[in-house]
Amino acid sequence: VFIAGSGPIGAVFARLLVDAGYNVIYLMSPPVVPSSPHLLPNRDTRVPGAHKKNEIEYQKDIDRFSHAIPLSKGALSTVSVPVSSTVVPTLDPAAWTASDPTQMYITNGRNNFQQTYNNLGAEAVTRGVGGMSTHWTCATPEFLKGLERPKILTGESADDAEWTLLYDAARSLIGTSEHEFDQSIRHNVVLQTLIDAYPDRGVKALPLACHRLAEGSPYVQWHSADNVYGDMFTNPTKTNVDGKARGQFKLLTNTRCTRFALANENAPFKVGAVEVKDLLEDRLFPGGGPTDFYIRSKVFLGNCLTDRWQILANSGFGGTRDGAIDIIPNLGTHITEQPMAFCQIVLRQGRLTLFQVDDIPKNLDTKPEWWAAAVRHHIQQHGDTDPLPIPFKDPEPQVTIPASLERPWHTQIHRDAFSYGEVGPLVDSRIVVDLRFFGMQVGVPENRMVFETAITDSYGMPQPTFEYRPTEKYAFEAHDMMADMTDVASKLGGYLPGSSPQFMTPGLALHLGGTTRLGQGTDKGETVADFNSQVWDFDNLYVGGNGLIPTPFGANPTLTSMCLAFRGAYKISQDLAAGQLTPPNPAQALTPTPRTWLNWAFDVNDPNYPVHQRKLHRSV
C-alpha cells in the first residue's frame, strides 16, 4: 500500500495495515526533523511525528510556542496568497519600479488567480512528518448527531452502533481523556462558573488527546501522529494477536509525490504507479535531471488536505480550471469552512453569584485536598510578593460548551499557544482565558478549491485557488455565535486589551472539509468516494483526511476522520486478503465495521493495544 501524507490520518491507515501484515510505503515531502527552521530539532521525541509542544522550552513557557506555528514563519505554509501591488509609496524614487504600475508581484508564492474577497486567506498546510498533529490543540470531540455527524448506515440504531464503535476505538488510539485537568484550580474556576451560568448546556471538560506525566505534575504529554504510530518504528518484527508478523514499513522523506499514473490507457480507473521526485537530489539539477522515479503498489491512498489533493489534480483526475473531462468530477467542490470568533478575557475579581479569582483562597477547608494544599503552599512561599493566589504552575483551563441544534457552534474555552493569542508582559497569563468559537458552513458546489495548471506552488505542483463565500443561513449563524461568545465572556471577566471579540481571517481554523467528500451510492453525482474512503469507480484509489467529511461541522474533525480511516483500512485489507481489488458498488448497502477489526483498541492484553504512557526518550 502506498500512502501520500504522514499526518495522523495517514498514520491510522499505516498502523492498521502494517499490524495486519501488509507492506506500506509512506511518503512525506520535508525531512523528519526539524519540520521547520524555526523549530528545534526533534531531539526530545521518541519517534517522528511527535507534538512540538512537548519540548521542554515550550512546557516551561507555553507562550513561546506561539512563535513556532504562525503562518509563513513557523510550521504553517499559507495555501493561496493574492498578488500584491508593485507600488511602494515610501520607496526611494531612484529605486526600480515596474513601468506599468498596475502590474502585480507574483513571486513568493503569490497567486494571480486568487481574489481577496473569496479567499480562505489563513488556510495553511504543515509539510512535515506528523502534519498538523505536531502543533494541534489535541481537542478530540465527537460530532453532533443530526447535524455534524455523517450518516453511514441505514437505520438509526445501526448507524449509532457503528459510530459508537468507531469513536471508542479512535479515542483509544489517540489517547483521549476528559480528566487530565481535573486538578487545576483555573480549570475548575472556569468550569464551575460556566456550569452555574448555563446549567442546561452541558458544560464540561474539553476532550483532549493527552495524558499527565505523573499525578500532581504540572506537565502533560500532548498526543499526535506519534501516538498512532506507537512502536512501529522501534518494533518492526512485532506479531499481532493472531501471531501474524507486521508488514514492512518504510517512510520516505524529502520527496514529492507528483502524480498517480494509471495502469494503462485502457484502465481509466486503476492506478498502476505513483511518480515521485527526490527533492534533495533535485537541488543539484536546476535545469531538470534524473530525480524522478516510480513506485508500484497494489493500493494507493491520497491523504490529508490541499497539498495531497494537488496530486489528484496533477494526475489529470479533476479539479483544474482548464475544463478537461474529469475522472473525479467533484474534486475540490463543496468545500466547508469554520468561521471563527475569538477573544481573550481576564478573570473577574469575584462576585456574589459567580465563583472567581478572589474566592480561590477562601474556605480552603471545604475545597479538595489538592486545591487547599497547592494554595497554602503558594501563599506560604510567595504570599508577600505575588498578588495572585494561583500557583505558578497551575495547569490551564480546558472547557467546552458542546454544540447543539439550537446553538450550532463548537466552543473551546481554554489557554493555548497561537500567534494571535499571545499574552504580553503587562497581564499575568494565569488569569487570561481564550475563547474560540467555531461555526459551520454547508458544502455547496460554488464553494470550491480550483487547481491552476498555469502556475505552480513552491513545490512545483498546481497552485490551489479558493472560491468561497459563506451562504446566508450560516452567515447569520456566525453572527449569533459571536453574540453567544460575548455573553459567555461576560460571565468570566473583562476583555484583555487588544483581544476584544473579533472574527478571524477565514481559514484560520485549519479544518477545511468537503474537498473529497464521501457519500452514499445515491450521492455519487455530488461526492468523490464512498464511506469506505474508496474513490468512485476506482479499483485501488482511496482518500483520507478531513476533506472527506461531507457535513457542516464546527468541532475539531480529527477524531471523526480517524473513524472514517478505520473503515477505509478495513476495505483495503479485505480486498488484499481476497486477492481481488473491487470498486465501490453504488447499489450495494454499506456494512458495519466488524468489532474484530478494532478489538486491539479495547483488549489490554492485545499486543497492539495503544500504550500512551511510555518511557521518556533522553538520548539519541
Side-chain angles (χ1 to χ4, degrees):
V1 179
F2 173 87
I3 300 176
S6 60
I9 308 308
V12 171
F13 277 95
R15 168 75 181 265
L16 269 66
L17 292 170
V18 169
D19 284 350
Y22 300 107
N23 300 331
V24 171
I25 297 178
Y26 206 20
L27 182 144
M28 195 65 205
S29 51
V32 178
V33 290
S35 65
S36 164
H38 293 266
L39 294 177
L40 290 178
N42 220 355
R43 61 177 182 270
D44 294 325
T45 59
R46 197 175 71 94
V47 297
H51 203 301
K52 304 299 181 183
K53 202 159 59 175
N54 293 329
E55 294 178 4
I56 295 298
E57 62 168 332
Y58 303 130
Q59 293 260 311
K60 294 293 186 182
D61 182 3
I62 188 58
D63 282 320
R64 291 199 69 248
F65 190 67
S66 63
H67 298 287
I69 58 176
L71 297 177
S72 303
K73 294 181 180 179
L76 292 169
S77 298
T78 310
V79 172
S80 186
V81 181
V83 293
S84 60
S85 173
T86 59
V87 177
V88 182
T90 57
L91 185 67
D92 185 327
W96 180 89
T97 58
S99 58
D100 180 359
T102 63
Q103 286 186 303
M104 300 286 186
Y105 284 125
I106 61 172
T107 56
N108 302 322
R110 303 281 178 170
N111 179 2
N112 56 338
F113 289 92
Q114 183 65 66
Q115 299 295 318
T116 301
Y117 77 93
N118 63 355
N119 188 21
L120 296 180
E123 187 62 50
V125 296
T126 298
R127 293 184 174 95
V129 174
M132 289 283 187
S133 76
T134 59
H135 53 78
W136 66 321
T137 64
C138 296
T140 50
E142 288 189 20
F143 276 6
L144 177 65
K145 177 185 175 181
L147 181 60
E148 297 175 295
R149 199 183 81 183
K151 187 173 179 60
I152 298 176
L153 303 179
T154 56
E156 183 176 3
S157 60
D159 194 59
D160 287 345
E162 176 74 357
W163 279 108
T164 297
L165 173 66
L166 297 175
Y167 273 132
D168 285 347
R171 276 189 290 267
S172 173
L173 181 56
I174 198 65
T176 293
S177 172
E178 295 183 13
H179 300 289
E180 303 311 302
F181 292 83
D182 285 354
Q183 294 191 13
S184 161
I185 294 173
R186 291 183 290 163
H187 174 78
N188 281 279
V189 166
V190 172
L191 180 64
Q192 193 58 52
T193 297
L194 295 181
I195 288 175
D196 293 343
Y198 306 104
D200 300 323
R201 292 185 61 179
V203 180
K204 66 172 189 174
L206 180 66
L208 292 168
C210 66
H211 68 272
R212 198 152 292 281
L213 288 175
E215 185 176 357
S217 170
Y219 304 113
V220 298
Q221 186 83 2
W222 300 99
H223 297 175
S224 65
D226 165 15
N227 296 76
V228 179
Y229 294 137
D231 60 0
M232 287 173 60
F233 291 96
T234 57
N235 192 359
T237 61
K238 185 177 181 179
T239 58
N240 63 22
V241 69
D242 297 322
K244 190 172 186 178
R246 274 180 166 161
Q248 297 183 38
F249 177 62
K250 188 173 184 61
L251 175 63
L252 300 180
T253 61
N254 296 299
T255 49
R256 183 194 74 191
C257 181
T258 304
R259 68 183 183 93
F260 294 119
L262 295 176
N264 59 70
E265 60 182 16
N266 297 319
F269 297 107
K270 187 178 185 65
V271 178
V274 61
E275 182 182 330
V276 177
K277 178 178 286 292
D278 186 326
L279 295 177
L280 291 180
E281 289 294 317
D282 190 57
R283 299 178 303 173
L284 305 177
F285 300 91
T291 62
D292 298 314
F293 58 95
Y294 286 85
I295 296 175
R296 292 190 178 276
S297 183
K298 293 181 179 178
V299 176
F300 298 83
L301 170 69
N303 168 66
C304 202
L305 290 178
T306 56
D307 53 336
R308 295 299 153 238
W309 311 146
Q310 287 173 299
I311 303 169
L312 298 178
N314 203 44
S315 304
F317 293 168
T320 60
R321 193 182 295 278
D322 57 17
I325 298 176
D326 295 336
I327 297 177
I328 307 177
N330 295 298
L331 178 63
T333 67
H334 297 80
I335 62 175
T336 62
E337 152 65 359
Q338 296 177 333
M340 180 179 172
F342 169 74
C343 70
Q344 290 176 297
I345 61 93
V346 178
L347 290 171
R348 67 171 71 250
Q349 300 172 21
R351 56 189 280 185
L352 294 177
T353 56
L354 294 175
F355 186 96
Q356 289 284 285
V357 175
D358 289 343
D359 300 302
I360 289 174
K362 295 178 181 178
N363 304 316
L364 289 180
D365 291 340
T366 65
K367 302 285 196 309
E369 182 178 345
W370 61 265
W371 178 316
V375 171
R376 289 189 179 112
H377 181 266
H378 182 77
I379 293 176
Q380 180 182 5
Q381 295 293 317
H382 308 286
D384 294 336
T385 56
D386 185 14
L388 280 173
I390 304 173
F392 293 133
K393 295 186 181 300
D394 183 59
E396 69 272 15
Q398 297 284 356
V399 177
T400 186
I401 305 176
S404 65
L405 297 178
E406 297 75 25
R407 297 179 182 86
W409 44 82
H410 171 68
T411 71
Q412 293 178 191
I413 303 155
H414 60 162
R415 273 291 292 138
D416 209 337
F418 291 90
S419 57
Y420 57 88
E422 183 179 7
V423 176
L426 300 182
V427 179
D428 195 307
S429 63
R430 287 175 292 172
I431 52 174
V432 174
V433 178
D434 304 348
L435 286 82
R436 294 179 173 85
F437 281 41
F438 301 84
M440 304 184 192
Q441 168 64 52
V442 71
V444 293
E446 54 269 29
N447 281 345
R448 62 177 186 159
M449 178 173 58
V450 182
F451 296 97
E452 311 293 354
T453 54
I455 56 175
T456 60
D457 66 5
S458 59
Y459 282 80
M461 297 293 283
Q463 169 62 48
T465 298
F466 293 109
E467 296 178 359
Y468 172 86
R469 297 282 286 172
T471 56
E472 183 177 6
K473 174 181 183 294
Y474 293 91
F476 280 100
E477 280 187 2
H479 176 82
D480 294 340
M481 177 181 73
M482 174 64 82
D484 187 44
M485 186 183 75
T486 59
D487 186 70
V488 173
S490 70
K491 303 297 192 295
L492 294 172
Y495 297 119
L496 178 70
S499 288
S500 298
Q502 57 195 288
F503 281 106
M504 308 307 290
T505 303
L508 191 60
L510 304 176
H511 295 154
L512 184 65
T515 49
T516 49
R517 61 203 307 257
L518 305 183
Q520 304 290 342
T522 53
D523 305 320
K524 182 182 177 183
E526 294 185 345
T527 57
V528 170
D530 73 350
F531 273 102
N532 291 326
S533 302
Q534 189 173 10
V535 177
W536 294 116
D537 299 320
F538 274 84
D539 293 341
N540 63 343
L541 181 60
Y542 291 75
V543 286
N546 301 335
L548 277 61
I549 299 170
T551 48
F553 61 92
N556 308 66
T558 301
L559 200 73
T560 299
S561 294
M562 292 176 66
C563 293
L564 300 175
F566 289 153
R567 289 186 56 89
Y570 178 69
K571 174 60 163 59
I572 293 171
S573 72
Q574 293 298 102
D575 277 8
L576 290 175
Q580 183 177 2
L581 303 178
T582 57
N585 183 352
Q588 185 175 343
L590 294 169
T591 58
T593 305
R595 184 180 176 86
T596 53
W597 175 244
L598 300 173
N599 194 56
W600 50 266
F602 312 109
D603 182 0
V604 295
N605 295 315
D606 192 296
N608 290 323
Y609 180 77
V611 177
H612 302 291
Q613 300 258 3
R614 300 180 303 212
K615 183 178 180 180
L616 297 180
H617 189 49
R618 302 181 185 278
S619 61
V620 294

